[in-house]
Amino acid sequence: MKKICIIDGQGGGIGSAVIKRLKERFEETIEVIALGTNAIATAQMLKARANKGASGSNAIVQTVKRADVIVGPVGIIMPHAMMGEVTLEMAEAVCQSPARKVLLPLTQENLTIVGVTGAPLPQLVDELLDTHLAFIGY
C-alpha cells in the first residue's frame, strides 16, 4: 500500500481538497497521512478522510522519510513560506526524502514559476490525479 503524505499549512484547504479527491479515486487502497504545519491544517485534512495525521516540524521531518509520495503546495520546499510556518528543517526533509514529490504551483510567496498557467485549484487537483499520480494503484 502506497503511503502518500499531504503537507499543508495555514487552514489546510489545499490539503483537504487533494485528500478528498484521492480518497474518492483510490478509496482505502492507499494510506494518506495528513501533515500540517499547524494543528488547524491537520484537523481539516483529517476531516477530509486522511488515514492519520500529525502537526509540526518534527512530525513532518520524521514522517516524510518513510513516504512513497509527498504532495503539497510549492511552498513546502521553501523555508519560511506560508507566513513562516515552513521551517528550514521541514523544507530540507521534504527535499531529501526519497519519496516522489508532486508540488502544486500555488504560492503566496514572491515566486514565479515559468510555464505555469495559473489554473484554479480544482483543475490542478484533476491534473495531479490524472497525470502525476496515475501510477498509484497499478
Side-chain angles (χ1 to χ4, degrees):
M1 178 181 290
K2 297 275 187 203
K3 285 186 180 182
I4 303 173
C5 289
I6 310 296
I7 303 175
D8 198 5
Q10 300 181 315
I14 296 168
S16 295
V18 171
I19 290 168
K20 284 178 188 170
R21 295 292 308 281
L22 279 170
K23 287 298 192 173
E24 288 172 4
R25 170 107 23 123
F26 299 107
E27 299 178 346
E28 296 306 317
T29 63
I30 59 172
E31 180 179 17
V32 176
I33 303 169
L35 296 173
T37 59
N38 63 67
I40 293 171
T42 303
Q44 289 303 313
M45 292 190 284
L46 285 169
K47 286 180 185 174
R49 297 183 42 214
N51 295 92
K52 55 186 171 181
S55 303
S57 184
N58 194 53
I60 292 172
V61 168
Q62 297 304 317
T63 306
V64 297
K65 294 176 185 174
R66 299 180 302 276
D68 295 304
V69 180
I70 299 169
V71 176
V74 71
I76 66 172
I77 61 169
M78 298 173 56
H80 314 295
M82 296 184 190
M83 298 180 69
E85 291 185 3
V86 178
T87 66
L88 174 62
E89 292 79 16
M90 288 179 195
E92 189 174 78
V94 170
C95 290
Q96 291 181 342
S97 170
R100 181 184 294 202
K101 292 107 183 142
V102 185
L103 304 177
L104 297 165
L106 300 168
T107 180
Q108 296 176 344
E109 315 307 322
N110 189 14
L111 172 75
T112 302
I113 302 172
V114 175
V116 172
T117 60
L121 181 60
Q123 190 175 338
L124 291 173
V125 174
D126 286 343
E127 183 179 339
L128 172 74
L129 270 68
D130 295 341
T131 305
H132 303 286
L133 297 180
F135 69 94
I136 295 174
Y138 297 107

